[in-house]
């Protein structure tokens, strides 16, 4: 017999709220400045990327792009977590072959052709990426990400989380350097509100939860909370 989650969610949430000592749980609102203090959304790598087709890229511009925190973090994550081991030289070749095709050719096409195609698409559609940045930035200005991500966590002085929006990853990744997101740049405002912003908050929640000392939450409370989160994610 299949049950609808919409029916049980109010009951599950009620169980959590009534069984937890709310004095030890973060409320759903947080100071406005906390959004900037704890979760830092960084578009600088993307903004540098979309300027290259407009101004004409040279090797020095591409090397500068490779050294941005977004690209460096993405490359480090890729090299550690993917069997294909896409290192800095691989991304350098993809960028050179994409922006300077008359001088450089793509190597190892069969190994990372999908990543190269992603970067090529970005070079051909800078206006789409720019529009996405504008939509997301405007919506983030009206959203308290920290309140969303820290719901049901105790009051703590969390380490700030950097969230980098980049291109060339084809997915999301997380490391000690921050979270990395290569999104669907054609997302509408509704899709951003329903998918991208909740995803940022969801991943930030895991990051902040990982910073808590062991057993900060009593086992019984944590069991209830984890069950609700499990049901929400199912």
């Amino acid at each position: 017999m299949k049950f609808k989650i919409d029916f049980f969610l109010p009951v599950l949430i009620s169980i959590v709220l009534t069984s937890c000592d709310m004095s030890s749980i973060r409320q759903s609102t947080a100071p406005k400045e906390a959004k900037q203090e704890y979760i830092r959304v960084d578009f600088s790598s993307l903004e540098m990327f979309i300027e290259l087709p407009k101004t004409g890229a040279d090797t020095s511009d591409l090397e500068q792009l490779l050294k941005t925190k977004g690209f460096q973090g993405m490359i480090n994550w890729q090299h550690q977590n993917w069997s294909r081991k896409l290192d800095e030289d691989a991304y350098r070749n993809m960028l050179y072959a994409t922006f300077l095709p008359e001088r450089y050719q793509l190597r190892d096409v069969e190994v990372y052709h999908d990543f190269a195609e992603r970067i090529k698409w970005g070079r051909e559609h800078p206006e789409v990426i720019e529009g996405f940045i504008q939509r997301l930035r405007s919506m983030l200005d009206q959203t308290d990400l920290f309140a969303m991500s820290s719901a049901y966590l105790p009051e703590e002085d969390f380490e700030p989380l950097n969230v980098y929006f980049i291109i060339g990853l084809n997915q999301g990744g997380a490391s000690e350097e921050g979270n990395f997101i290569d999104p669907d740049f054609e997302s509408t405002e509704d899709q951003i509100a329903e998918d991208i912003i909740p995803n940022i908050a969801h991943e930030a929640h895991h990051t902040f939860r990982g910073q808590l000392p062991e057993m900060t939450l009593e086992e019984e409370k944590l069991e209830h909370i984890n069950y609700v989160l499990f049901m929400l994610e199912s």
Side-chain angles (χ1 to χ4, degrees):
M1 183 176 182
K2 188 173 181 181
F3 298 98
K4 286 189 175 182
I5 185 65
D6 291 346
F7 175 81
F8 284 97
L9 271 180
V11 179
L12 292 171
I13 293 173
S14 176
I15 291 173
V16 173
L17 296 179
T18 56
S19 63
C20 292
D21 175 10
M22 294 308 293
S23 65
S24 66
I25 302 298
R26 181 178 300 280
Q27 303 300 310
S28 61
T29 57
K32 190 71 173 178
E33 61 272 14
K35 174 179 62 176
Q36 299 297 333
E37 179 184 352
Y38 288 106
I39 303 178
R40 303 165 179 167
V41 179
D42 189 309
F43 298 105
S44 58
S45 295
L46 268 183
E47 290 173 326
M48 185 178 296
F49 180 90
I50 62 178
E51 284 300 312
L52 296 178
K54 303 175 185 178
T55 60
D58 203 345
T59 55
S60 60
D61 300 313
L62 298 175
E63 289 299 324
Q64 187 176 359
L65 177 63
L66 278 171
K67 296 303 180 185
T68 60
K69 291 182 178 179
F71 261 86
Q72 281 296 302
M74 175 181 69
I75 291 168
N76 292 340
W77 183 88
Q78 282 272 37
H79 190 59
Q80 295 169 11
N81 292 277
W82 276 71
S83 59
R84 287 185 278 182
K85 303 299 182 187
L86 298 180
D87 56 15
E88 185 171 314
D89 284 340
Y91 274 96
R92 177 177 289 106
N93 175 241
M94 286 188 280
L95 288 171
Y96 278 32
T98 298
F99 285 95
L100 304 169
E102 67 283 356
R103 294 161 55 185
Y104 299 94
Q105 292 185 337
L106 188 65
R107 303 191 314 265
D108 303 321
V109 177
E110 69 283 357
V111 178
Y112 48 76
H113 65 91
D114 48 342
F115 296 96
E117 285 298 317
R118 180 66 169 161
I119 290 175
K120 180 181 178 183
W121 180 91
R123 181 184 66 81
E124 295 172 347
H125 300 87
E127 73 288 346
V128 176
I129 300 176
E130 186 172 19
F132 170 84
I133 294 174
Q134 292 173 352
R135 290 193 298 278
L136 178 55
R137 179 174 277 148
S138 175
M139 296 177 73
L140 288 175
D141 285 342
Q142 304 171 52
T143 304
D144 196 333
L145 280 175
F146 183 63
M148 293 174 64
S149 61
S150 60
Y152 306 117
L153 295 181
E155 294 283 352
E156 289 286 339
D157 186 18
F158 294 106
E159 291 293 323
L161 171 66
N162 294 309
V163 179
Y164 299 99
F165 277 83
I166 41 77
I167 188 168
L169 184 60
N170 287 349
Q171 61 169 350
S175 71
E176 293 182 357
E177 297 170 83
N179 292 353
F180 306 92
I181 303 175
D182 183 352
D184 177 2
F185 293 110
E186 296 179 294
S187 297
T188 64
E189 288 189 357
D190 286 343
Q191 290 169 324
I192 290 173
E194 295 172 3
D195 183 28
I196 293 176
I197 290 179
N199 181 61
I200 297 173
H202 175 87
E203 295 302 325
H205 177 93
H206 287 301
T207 298
F208 294 143
R209 182 69 188 89
Q211 294 178 16
L212 294 176
E214 188 175 359
M215 299 305 293
T216 297
L217 295 176
E218 291 87 353
E219 289 186 4
E220 184 178 356
K221 296 175 185 175
L222 184 58
E223 183 179 20
H224 284 309
I225 293 169
N226 283 340
Y227 184 62
V228 172
L229 292 176
F230 170 77
M231 295 298 288
L232 286 169
E233 294 174 354
S234 298

